[in-house]
Amino acid sequence: MRKSRQETAETRQRILEAAAAEFRRSGIGSTGIAELMAAAGLTHGGFYKHFESKDQIVEESIALATRSLATAIESKLSSAKAGHGLNAVLKDYLSAERLEHCEEGCPFGTLGSELARSNERVRQATTEGFVAMVTLIAGQLDDLPPVAAKKQAMVMLSTMIGAITMARIFTDSDLSVSLLRETRKHLVK
Amino acid sequence: MRKSRQETAETRQRILEAAAAEFRRSGIGSTGIAELMAAAGLTHGGFYKHFESKDQIVEESIALATRSLATAIESKLSSAKAGHGLNAVLKDYLSAERLEHCEEGCPFGTLGSELARSNERVRQATTEGFVAMVTLIAGQLDDLPPVAAKKQAMVMLSTMIGAITMARIFTDSDLSVSLLRETRKHLVK
DNA sequence: TGTACATCAGTGAACGCGCGTTCACTGATGTAC
DNA sequence: TGTACATCAGTGAACGCGCGTTCACTGATGTAC
């Protein structure tokens, strides 16, 4: 049952989005092709009509997830009052909702240690995503010269990532909430 | 070829140490029982004479790894001049050597996102390890009241974890080095 | 202390399962005339 | 525009492999007398 070109393209995109969510929810290694295709409403056999390998969809879905995050941050920044953009981003990123919903969360936070062991292309996509987000955040630090702003933004972003990563591990949810709150206070000052 | 009680205990410890290193090097999901037993100089079949399951050794080896890290931090703190303990810890934790040698590194940094998906007991061991390390670091912040010192220490530690996690992902080693350096400067000030 | 038997650490083959990938097949879409 | 054929998205069975776990076996250690 061949599909039209448009349907094929839409299906590919649907698989990609399902993958970006499933990988963030369950991890890259623990998410099988069958699981990810089922999340897109298909059976596993058709996967290879759209992607060459699991490696390829990992790479593309990480790139998609970082682009989504960048878009979300941009929209938070542009809808906030002047001078309050960063605060809005922090409030969103370090919120209880993001803590719970890995599948829509920051791929650096949900997949960090797995990405460090991924192949060159995946790590390259991740690095580029990180740099793009650093640039966005640095744009908000207009009281600093550009180079210093980038350095500061880089530290801020990795601080946020460390906080959400650890908060997701803790068995004590008070501790999680406290870490997110204190991190926000620390970065906002 | 039964072994003496002492030999058996030593072997168990050797397997545990090998596991703590292999899990940090290659990840929990990607490290097989056979691989970990080989690293301890044994074959896979004997594993179940010492541990009930992979889950059990994961839990015990995470606890071991966090204790090792705590010991390393304590030793850095006690050998540094008064008031320079934190700086010594930061210099060590955020060093190029730790960046390279995952197998001896901080289990939070090398395994963070995998730990978040682990079972309750593993997450419990991780949470306890984190709190123990926070207490150590808070002890150095003697210009703050105890509660504030704990909060500050908690943010500091998760900042360090975020930085080493991201630095291990980047394909651009200048970026990694820069992130570690800026994080150190940020935390020392 | 010496002896006979029970215990058990370690080995390597085997089991069952899940995973990434391949393949033959189906039938709707795309294309050439 | 209509027709005949080629293409190919999607299905589900199958393959090969690696993994966690089990098991029969070996021979050295532990224990009871």
Short mmCIF file of all heavy atoms in Angstrom, two decimals, chain A residues 1-2 11 43-46 49-50, chain D residues 6-14:
data_model
loop_
_atom_site.label_atom_id
_atom_site.label_comp_id
_atom_site.label_asym_id
_atom_site.label_seq_id
_atom_site.Cartn_x
_atom_site.Cartn_y
_atom_site.Cartn_z
N MET A 1 0.82 -1.21 0.00
CA MET A 1 0.00 0.00 0.00
C MET A 1 0.85 1.26 0.00
O MET A 1 1.01 1.92 1.00
CB MET A 1 -0.91 0.03 1.24
CG MET A 1 -0.85 -1.25 2.06
SD MET A 1 -1.53 -1.05 3.72
CE MET A 1 -1.75 -2.76 4.17
N ARG A 2 1.42 1.53 -1.14
CA ARG A 2 2.28 2.71 -1.28
C ARG A 2 1.53 3.97 -0.87
O ARG A 2 0.32 4.09 -1.08
CB ARG A 2 2.71 2.81 -2.74
CG ARG A 2 3.69 3.93 -3.01
CD ARG A 2 4.06 3.94 -4.51
NE ARG A 2 5.13 4.88 -4.74
CZ ARG A 2 5.68 5.10 -5.91
NH1 ARG A 2 5.27 4.42 -6.97
NH2 ARG A 2 6.64 5.97 -6.06
N THR A 11 4.71 11.05 7.47
CA THR A 11 5.00 9.88 8.29
C THR A 11 6.42 9.94 8.86
O THR A 11 6.65 9.69 10.04
CB THR A 11 4.84 8.59 7.47
OG1 THR A 11 3.50 8.52 7.00
CG2 THR A 11 5.13 7.37 8.32
N THR A 43 4.21 -0.29 12.43
CA THR A 43 4.93 -1.48 12.88
C THR A 43 6.41 -1.34 12.52
O THR A 43 6.77 -0.53 11.67
CB THR A 43 4.36 -2.75 12.22
OG1 THR A 43 4.41 -2.59 10.81
CG2 THR A 43 2.91 -2.98 12.66
N HIS A 44 7.23 -2.15 13.17
CA HIS A 44 8.68 -1.93 13.10
C HIS A 44 9.28 -2.07 11.71
O HIS A 44 10.27 -1.40 11.39
CB HIS A 44 9.40 -2.86 14.08
CG HIS A 44 9.29 -4.30 13.71
ND1 HIS A 44 8.17 -5.04 14.01
CD2 HIS A 44 10.12 -5.12 13.04
CE1 HIS A 44 8.34 -6.28 13.57
NE2 HIS A 44 9.51 -6.34 12.97
N GLY A 45 8.71 -2.98 10.90
CA GLY A 45 9.31 -3.28 9.60
C GLY A 45 9.48 -2.08 8.68
O GLY A 45 10.42 -2.02 7.90
N GLY A 46 8.57 -1.12 8.78
CA GLY A 46 8.61 0.03 7.88
C GLY A 46 9.66 1.06 8.20
O GLY A 46 9.93 1.96 7.39
N LYS A 49 12.28 2.09 5.65
CA LYS A 49 11.87 2.83 4.46
C LYS A 49 12.12 4.33 4.68
O LYS A 49 12.08 5.11 3.73
CB LYS A 49 10.38 2.58 4.17
CG LYS A 49 10.11 1.17 3.67
CD LYS A 49 10.46 1.02 2.20
CE LYS A 49 10.89 -0.39 1.81
NZ LYS A 49 9.87 -1.41 2.01
N HIS A 50 12.35 4.73 5.94
CA HIS A 50 12.54 6.15 6.24
C HIS A 50 13.93 6.49 6.76
O HIS A 50 14.40 7.60 6.57
CB HIS A 50 11.50 6.60 7.27
CG HIS A 50 10.09 6.50 6.79
ND1 HIS A 50 9.54 7.45 5.96
CD2 HIS A 50 9.13 5.58 6.98
CE1 HIS A 50 8.28 7.12 5.67
NE2 HIS A 50 8.01 5.97 6.28
P DA D 6 7.28 -3.28 -15.77
OP1 DA D 6 8.54 -3.65 -16.44
OP2 DA D 6 6.50 -4.28 -15.01
"O5'" DA D 6 7.59 -2.05 -14.83
"C5'" DA D 6 8.05 -0.81 -15.42
"C4'" DA D 6 8.35 0.19 -14.32
"O4'" DA D 6 7.12 0.60 -13.68
"C3'" DA D 6 9.25 -0.34 -13.19
"O3'" DA D 6 10.12 0.71 -12.81
"C2'" DA D 6 8.27 -0.75 -12.11
"C1'" DA D 6 7.15 0.29 -12.29
N9 DA D 6 5.82 -0.18 -11.93
C8 DA D 6 5.22 -1.37 -12.27
N7 DA D 6 4.00 -1.50 -11.82
C5 DA D 6 3.77 -0.31 -11.14
C6 DA D 6 2.66 0.18 -10.42
N6 DA D 6 1.52 -0.51 -10.29
N1 DA D 6 2.76 1.40 -9.85
C2 DA D 6 3.91 2.09 -10.00
N3 DA D 6 5.01 1.73 -10.65
C4 DA D 6 4.88 0.51 -11.20
P DT D 7 11.17 0.49 -11.59
OP1 DT D 7 12.36 1.32 -11.87
OP2 DT D 7 11.29 -0.95 -11.32
"O5'" DT D 7 10.42 1.18 -10.37
"C5'" DT D 7 10.06 2.56 -10.46
"C4'" DT D 7 9.29 2.96 -9.21
"O4'" DT D 7 8.03 2.23 -9.15
"C3'" DT D 7 10.02 2.66 -7.89
"O3'" DT D 7 10.06 3.86 -7.15
"C2'" DT D 7 9.14 1.60 -7.20
"C1'" DT D 7 7.77 1.89 -7.80
N1 DT D 7 6.80 0.76 -7.83
C2 DT D 7 5.55 0.96 -7.28
O2 DT D 7 5.20 2.01 -6.76
N3 DT D 7 4.72 -0.12 -7.37
C4 DT D 7 4.99 -1.35 -7.94
O4 DT D 7 4.14 -2.24 -7.96
C5 DT D 7 6.32 -1.48 -8.48
C7 DT D 7 6.72 -2.78 -9.12
C6 DT D 7 7.16 -0.44 -8.41
P DC D 8 11.14 4.05 -5.96
OP1 DC D 8 11.62 5.44 -6.05
OP2 DC D 8 12.07 2.90 -5.97
"O5'" DC D 8 10.23 3.91 -4.67
"C5'" DC D 8 8.97 4.59 -4.59
"C4'" DC D 8 8.14 3.96 -3.50
"O4'" DC D 8 7.46 2.79 -4.01
"C3'" DC D 8 8.98 3.45 -2.31
"O3'" DC D 8 8.25 3.70 -1.13
"C2'" DC D 8 9.05 1.96 -2.55
"C1'" DC D 8 7.63 1.75 -3.07
N1 DC D 8 7.35 0.45 -3.70
C2 DC D 8 6.03 -0.04 -3.68
O2 DC D 8 5.15 0.65 -3.15
N3 DC D 8 5.77 -1.24 -4.24
C4 DC D 8 6.75 -1.94 -4.80
N4 DC D 8 6.43 -3.12 -5.35
C5 DC D 8 8.09 -1.47 -4.83
C6 DC D 8 8.35 -0.27 -4.28
P DA D 9 8.81 4.76 -0.05
OP1 DA D 9 8.89 6.10 -0.65
OP2 DA D 9 10.00 4.13 0.54
"O5'" DA D 9 7.65 4.76 1.03
"C5'" DA D 9 6.40 5.38 0.73
"C4'" DA D 9 5.31 4.78 1.60
"O4'" DA D 9 4.96 3.47 1.08
"C3'" DA D 9 5.70 4.56 3.06
"O3'" DA D 9 4.54 4.78 3.85
"C2'" DA D 9 6.14 3.10 3.11
"C1'" DA D 9 5.29 2.45 2.03
N9 DA D 9 5.95 1.38 1.27
C8 DA D 9 7.23 1.36 0.83
N7 DA D 9 7.53 0.27 0.16
C5 DA D 9 6.36 -0.47 0.15
C6 DA D 9 6.01 -1.71 -0.40
N6 DA D 9 6.85 -2.47 -1.09
N1 DA D 9 4.75 -2.14 -0.22
C2 DA D 9 3.89 -1.37 0.46
N3 DA D 9 4.10 -0.18 1.03
C4 DA D 9 5.36 0.21 0.84
P DG D 10 4.63 4.64 5.43
OP1 DG D 10 3.61 5.56 5.98
OP2 DG D 10 6.04 4.74 5.86
"O5'" DG D 10 4.14 3.15 5.68
"C5'" DG D 10 2.80 2.80 5.39
"C4'" DG D 10 2.62 1.32 5.61
"O4'" DG D 10 3.39 0.61 4.60
"C3'" DG D 10 3.12 0.80 6.96
"O3'" DG D 10 2.03 0.24 7.66
"C2'" DG D 10 4.18 -0.24 6.61
"C1'" DG D 10 3.84 -0.60 5.17
N9 DG D 10 4.99 -1.05 4.40
C8 DG D 10 6.18 -0.40 4.21
N7 DG D 10 7.03 -1.08 3.47
C5 DG D 10 6.35 -2.25 3.16
C6 DG D 10 6.75 -3.37 2.39
O6 DG D 10 7.82 -3.56 1.80
N1 DG D 10 5.76 -4.35 2.33
C2 DG D 10 4.53 -4.24 2.95
N2 DG D 10 3.70 -5.27 2.79
N3 DG D 10 4.13 -3.20 3.67
C4 DG D 10 5.09 -2.25 3.73
P DT D 11 2.25 -0.53 9.07
OP1 DT D 11 1.02 -0.31 9.84
OP2 DT D 11 3.56 -0.16 9.63
"O5'" DT D 11 2.29 -2.06 8.62
"C5'" DT D 11 1.21 -2.63 7.88
"C4'" DT D 11 1.43 -4.11 7.72
"O4'" DT D 11 2.51 -4.35 6.79
"C3'" DT D 11 1.80 -4.84 9.01
"O3'" DT D 11 0.85 -5.86 9.26
"C2'" DT D 11 3.20 -5.42 8.75
"C1'" DT D 11 3.29 -5.44 7.24
N1 DT D 11 4.66 -5.20 6.69
C2 DT D 11 5.23 -6.15 5.88
O2 DT D 11 4.68 -7.20 5.58
N3 DT D 11 6.48 -5.83 5.40
C4 DT D 11 7.19 -4.69 5.65
O4 DT D 11 8.30 -4.52 5.15
C5 DT D 11 6.55 -3.73 6.53
C7 DT D 11 7.24 -2.46 6.87
C6 DT D 11 5.32 -4.03 7.00
P DG D 12 0.68 -6.49 10.71
OP1 DG D 12 -0.73 -6.93 10.83
OP2 DG D 12 1.26 -5.55 11.70
"O5'" DG D 12 1.59 -7.78 10.66
"C5'" DG D 12 1.34 -8.76 9.67
"C4'" DG D 12 2.48 -9.75 9.63
"O4'" DG D 12 3.64 -9.13 9.01
"C3'" DG D 12 2.97 -10.24 11.00
"O3'" DG D 12 3.36 -11.60 10.85
"C2'" DG D 12 4.18 -9.36 11.27
"C1'" DG D 12 4.76 -9.31 9.86
N9 DG D 12 5.71 -8.24 9.62
C8 DG D 12 5.79 -7.01 10.24
N7 DG D 12 6.78 -6.28 9.77
C5 DG D 12 7.37 -7.07 8.80
C6 DG D 12 8.49 -6.82 7.96
O6 DG D 12 9.18 -5.81 7.90
N1 DG D 12 8.76 -7.89 7.11
C2 DG D 12 8.05 -9.07 7.09
N2 DG D 12 8.45 -10.00 6.23
N3 DG D 12 7.00 -9.32 7.87
C4 DG D 12 6.73 -8.28 8.70
P DA D 13 3.50 -12.62 12.06
OP1 DA D 13 2.18 -13.26 12.26
OP2 DA D 13 4.17 -11.93 13.19
"O5'" DA D 13 4.51 -13.69 11.43
"C5'" DA D 13 4.37 -14.07 10.06
"C4'" DA D 13 5.74 -14.44 9.51
"O4'" DA D 13 6.51 -13.24 9.25
"C3'" DA D 13 6.59 -15.30 10.45
"O3'" DA D 13 7.20 -16.35 9.71
"C2'" DA D 13 7.61 -14.32 11.02
"C1'" DA D 13 7.80 -13.35 9.85
N9 DA D 13 8.20 -12.01 10.23
C8 DA D 13 7.61 -11.20 11.17
N7 DA D 13 8.21 -10.02 11.30
C5 DA D 13 9.24 -10.07 10.38
C6 DA D 13 10.24 -9.13 10.03
N6 DA D 13 10.34 -7.92 10.58
N1 DA D 13 11.13 -9.50 9.08
C2 DA D 13 11.03 -10.71 8.53
N3 DA D 13 10.13 -11.67 8.77
C4 DA D 13 9.26 -11.28 9.72
P DA D 14 8.07 -17.51 10.40
OP1 DA D 14 7.87 -18.75 9.61
OP2 DA D 14 7.78 -17.47 11.86
"O5'" DA D 14 9.56 -17.02 10.18
"C5'" DA D 14 9.98 -16.62 8.88
"C4'" DA D 14 11.39 -16.09 8.96
"O4'" DA D 14 11.34 -14.72 9.43
"C3'" DA D 14 12.30 -16.85 9.93
"O3'" DA D 14 13.40 -17.38 9.21
"C2'" DA D 14 12.71 -15.81 10.98
"C1'" DA D 14 12.46 -14.49 10.27
N9 DA D 14 12.09 -13.36 11.12
C8 DA D 14 11.07 -13.31 12.03
N7 DA D 14 10.98 -12.14 12.66
C5 DA D 14 12.01 -11.40 12.12
C6 DA D 14 12.45 -10.08 12.36
N6 DA D 14 11.89 -9.25 13.24
N1 DA D 14 13.51 -9.64 11.65
C2 DA D 14 14.09 -10.47 10.77
N3 DA D 14 13.77 -11.72 10.44
C4 DA D 14 12.71 -12.13 11.17
#
